Structure formats: structure tokens, C-alpha cells
Amino acid sequence: MIKFPDNFLWGSAISAYQVEGGINKSDWSSLFPADQACDHYNRYEEDFDLLENQKVFRFSIEWSRIEPSEGEFSEKEIEHYRNYLKSLKKRGIKTMVTLHHFTSPTWFFDKKSWTKSDNVQFFVRFALRMLEEYHDLVDFWITINEPLIYCSKSFLVKDWPGPSKGVFAFIKAVRNQIKAHKAVYKAFHERKDVEVGLSKNNQFFQGVTFVDKIVCSLSRYLWNRYFLNQIRKEMDFIGINYYFHRKIKFLRKKKSDNVTDLGWDICPEGIYWVLMENKRYNLPIYITENGLADSKDEKRISFIRDHLIWVKKAIEDQVDVKGYCHWSLIDNFEWDKGFNPRFGLVEIDYRDLSRSKRPSFSFYNEICLNNGIK
Ligand code: BGC
């Protein structure tokens, strides 16, 4: 039995746009409509039943529902998320709330969203309203999910909705997200005793030759550390999302045979090195996402087991890892890739929206119950 520390928080994660359905005022709504998605907005009680032995649930509040037009806050939607949070609390589940998970309201987009520093105030105003409404129901606040993935996809390469494209738009968006995180952190702490962090996508870069290794060091600095360095004094914990292994061989990326349905390398050891790299910040770490697209559920059990073995090793090597959220509880809308990639412990049949637990669900549920791997 591989045991985890007492009170280790086991859980799973989702985000609003990917599961709720019926979101039509976000910047994704017209370009990449998620339609009814998993109808989680109406079926959240049924989905919370699936948490069973889990102790924490990470989800996002959809800004475009709360503030569909600039400055107009919807009481109905505020009430909705209050009931949602209360339901989790009633079940004894800790709540981890993300305030920005890749989506913004269309009115914010029309103002050129994150490329304008004046727009940061709108996000802070929304965040403060959420604090005022829900401070007694939220255990962990996550300001922004994966800022570098978001800014590169939306502003640099523009695979995702973004109001302008190019290196300058990207740099401005990153700087404004840093500014937004710091402002929210400060404003929250001035008002309440809260735990505020950010979810960062960090990658395992591995090089072969001397030159590859230099490329890896640079990538580690720019991708893994730069953003966190900027906000290191404004975090109560670090959220780490781990998915990617970047194997650089003779300056080219090399893929292995063990890949997910999306062709992403499976490299459990990478989570260990990514965690070790974050030891320098001396902060508690929550793994806020880790998972894979695997429609046949052939690799998920070994994926979870192997990654957790490496997480345990990082804990033994003095990394203060306090929890793990699997991505994801249920299948969902995988952004520009649509509904085909299946990330869920629970399968969604999109014809009738029925939920069925995959074998990996029971495997993970046992881990949560036993606080360890048998
Ligand atoms: C995101 C999720 C996404 C997952 C799998 C993360 O980058 O936060 O929204 O579904 O990875 O791609």
C-alpha cells in the first residue's frame, strides 16, 4: 500500500464552459459553441453524487453568466452558484473555485479583453463580487487557469478566440494577467482570510544533447517559472496542471509510442520533476489537473497509478503536495477539439446525456477512500 499524508485532498476538476451547457454570452459561444455540453448546469446534483469518496472539487464560475453585460450582475446566476456551492458543502466537499478558465464575456472581448491594461479592473470587480457573495462557501480561490496556455492559444497563434493576434498582443495579455492576479490577491486579502492561488500548466522538458539541454533550461525558465516568479509573493498555494512531456532531441521534439488519444506523450516521471522544480517557492502545492484523453479507458488506470507513485516520491523528497485533482470527473468539451477527446472518469453519452462510470472511476474512488494506492 502506498500511503499519502493524512488529510491529503483527493478530488477532480471541471470548468464551466466545458460542461455546463447553455453559455451563450462568452467569447467562445459563437466560434466554438458547446451547446448543451453535459448539461451540468441542470444536472450538477447528479454529478456531485459521482464524487463519492472525493474530498475536493475544482470548478469555474462562468463570468459571462454572472455579468452578461458590462456592470450588470445577474442575481439569478449568483443564486445558482450559491446553491451549487452549498450543495458541495452539504456533502462535506471542499470547494476550489476558478475565476477565469479560458472564457470571458463577449463585452470584455469587444473591449479587446486582456490586451488592454485598463480592462484588468473589470476582472477584479467581478472577482470581488464573487468574494463578497461566496467567501464563506469557498475553500480555495484560483484566479486564473493556465495563463500561458490561454495567452499563447488566444493571442499568439490564435487557435482560440482572441481579439488581436501577434507577439505584442501575447506579451500584453500575459502582463495583464499577472497584474490581474496580483490585484485580486491583494484585494481578497485586504477583505478576508482566504487562500488564493493560480493554476499553472508546467511541463517536463527533457533534452539529449548539450544544445538540447540548453534549450530545455531556457524553456523551463520561460514556460514553467517566469509567470510564477512574477507572482511568488502573491500566492498562498500553487496549483500545478501537469500533462506534457517535451522531449527535445537534436533540437526537435520527439514523440514516444506511449501516447494519449490526443497524441500527448505519457510520462509519469515528469510530474515528479515538475513538482521538484516548484520546491523553490516554498508553498503548498495542489495538483489542480492531471489526466488524459482515453476514450476506451485502456490507459487511465495505469496513468493514474504511475503518476501518483511519482507524486508520492516528490512528497518523500520534501515537496509539500497537499492534494490531487484528476482531470476530469466527466467527459467534456475539449475547447477547439470539440467533444471527441474523452477525459472523464465518467463517460457521457452525448445522445441522451447519461453518465456511466468507467473502470478507472472505481480505481480512483478506492484511492480516495484508502488515501493511497493498493
Ligand atoms: C485545461 C482544461 C483542458 C485540459 C485538457 C487544461 O489545459 O485547463 O480546460 O480540458 O487541459 O486539455
Side-chain angles (χ1 to χ4, degrees):
M1 178 86 174
I2 302 176
K3 270 275 176 198
F4 277 70
D6 291 346
N7 304 320
F8 192 82
L9 281 184
W10 297 101
S12 56
I14 57 159
S15 87
Y17 195 75
Q18 295 180 268
V19 294
E20 283 187 357
I23 296 174
N24 46 38
K25 295 222 158 115
S26 106
D27 50 354
W28 282 78
S29 308
S30 55
L31 268 174
F32 297 102
D35 302 320
Q36 64 174 351
C38 312
D39 194 29
H40 175 73
Y41 184 83
N42 297 306
R43 300 174 197 229
Y44 66 84
E45 292 286 3
E46 183 186 341
D47 291 339
F48 293 168
D49 287 345
L50 297 165
L51 294 173
E52 297 193 15
N53 298 323
Q54 296 181 32
K55 296 172 178 61
V56 61
F57 190 54
R58 175 176 176 232
F59 66 95
S60 67
I61 293 182
E62 177 61 30
W63 183 7
S64 68
R65 279 195 193 278
I66 298 284
E67 194 181 355
S69 322
E70 185 185 335
E72 281 173 29
F73 289 81
S74 161
E75 290 303 332
K76 175 180 161 268
E77 300 295 1
I78 289 176
E79 198 49 28
H80 168 80
Y81 286 110
R82 189 188 316 287
N83 293 333
Y84 188 100
L85 280 157
K86 276 186 179 163
S87 167
L88 287 167
K89 283 278 153 197
K90 233 186 332 192
R91 294 160 188 267
I93 308 264
K94 290 210 186 280
T95 53
M96 194 177 258
V97 173
T98 313
L99 293 168
H100 189 272
H101 196 124
F102 300 161
T103 61
S104 309
T106 44
W107 62 263
F108 183 78
F109 181 92
D110 293 341
K111 289 176 177 291
K112 296 216 167 290
S113 78
W114 294 99
T115 60
K116 292 266 175 280
S117 121
D118 278 354
N119 291 343
V120 168
Q121 58 174 313
F122 298 114
F123 178 68
V124 178
R125 179 177 64 181
F126 156 68
L128 276 176
R129 181 68 186 260
M130 296 300 90
L131 177 76
E132 184 189 316
E133 298 288 347
Y134 308 133
H135 62 89
D136 52 340
L137 294 168
V138 175
D139 296 287
F140 305 96
W141 293 95
I142 291 184
T143 53
I144 297 168
N145 180 64
E146 300 190 343
L148 293 188
I149 291 272
Y150 169 71
C151 292
S152 48
K153 294 263 196 183
S154 304
F155 302 95
L156 195 61
V157 290
K158 224 165 168 249
D159 289 346
W160 292 1
S164 38
K165 184 182 162 154
V167 181
F168 291 115
F170 167 75
I171 293 172
K172 281 192 233 159
V174 171
R175 290 177 66 131
N176 289 329
Q177 292 214 317
I178 291 171
K179 194 171 152 192
H181 171 85
K182 288 184 172 192
V184 171
Y185 180 91
K186 187 163 174 279
F188 274 33
H189 279 280
E190 277 164 7
R191 287 162 179 81
K192 303 278 174 210
D193 183 18
V194 281
E195 296 229 28
V196 182
L198 174 136
S199 282
K200 182 70 186 48
N201 173 296
N202 275 13
Q203 310 190 357
F204 175 42
F205 297 95
Q206 212 182 13
V208 177
T209 64
F210 177 70
V211 181
D212 296 338
K213 285 186 178 148
I214 292 179
V215 173
C216 287
S217 303
L218 195 64
S219 310
R220 266 195 292 275
Y221 172 73
L222 291 173
W223 187 270
N224 289 353
R225 298 210 292 275
Y226 172 77
F227 199 100
L228 293 176
N229 286 349
Q230 304 304 306
I231 59 168
R232 63 189 310 162
K233 295 206 186 84
E234 288 94 5
M235 288 188 289
D236 302 310
F237 64 90
I238 306 180
I240 291 292
N241 295 357
Y242 172 71
Y243 292 95
F244 298 113
H245 178 210
R246 303 283 184 211
K247 199 168 183 181
I248 317 268
K249 197 171 181 191
F250 310 119
L251 285 176
R252 292 171 55 197
K253 280 185 212 158
K254 195 172 173 285
K255 285 254 178 293
S256 76
D257 300 331
N258 190 16
V259 293
T260 73
D261 289 353
L262 284 172
W264 301 353
D265 255 30
I266 298 180
C267 180
E269 182 189 343
I271 201 166
Y272 170 81
W273 293 109
V274 161
L275 290 169
M276 290 296 279
E277 192 184 5
N278 282 281
K279 214 168 151 181
R280 71 188 65 222
Y281 298 109
N282 253 318
L283 286 167
I285 297 178
Y286 292 88
I287 294 156
T288 43
E289 286 182 36
N290 172 237
L292 77 167
D294 178 19
S295 61
K296 299 202 181 90
D297 205 41
E298 286 168 341
K299 299 184 174 173
R300 196 170 279 105
I301 290 182
S302 57
F303 179 100
I304 295 175
R305 184 197 299 111
D306 296 348
H307 279 76
L308 289 176
I309 288 172
W310 284 102
V311 172
K312 177 67 199 283
K313 182 165 163 44
I315 295 173
E316 281 164 4
D317 290 342
Q318 315 306 319
V319 187
D320 188 16
V321 189
K322 296 230 177 280
Y324 172 92
C325 288
H326 191 74
W327 184 275
S328 175
L329 177 65
I330 51 179
D331 285 339
N332 55 57
F333 180 74
E334 178 58 17
W335 306 110
D336 54 324
K337 300 190 181 62
F339 288 103
N340 279 340
R342 301 294 188 133
F343 276 87
L345 293 163
V346 174
E347 181 180 356
I348 302 274
D349 182 336
Y350 288 106
R351 288 165 306 184
D352 60 6
L353 293 177
S354 57
R355 276 82 166 134
S356 28
K357 297 171 187 169
R358 295 196 161 105
S360 56
F361 172 92
S362 317
F363 176 76
Y364 185 58
N365 200 34
E366 281 294 298
I367 293 179
C368 304
L369 176 72
N370 299 324
N371 193 31
I373 316 162
K374 269 192 185 152

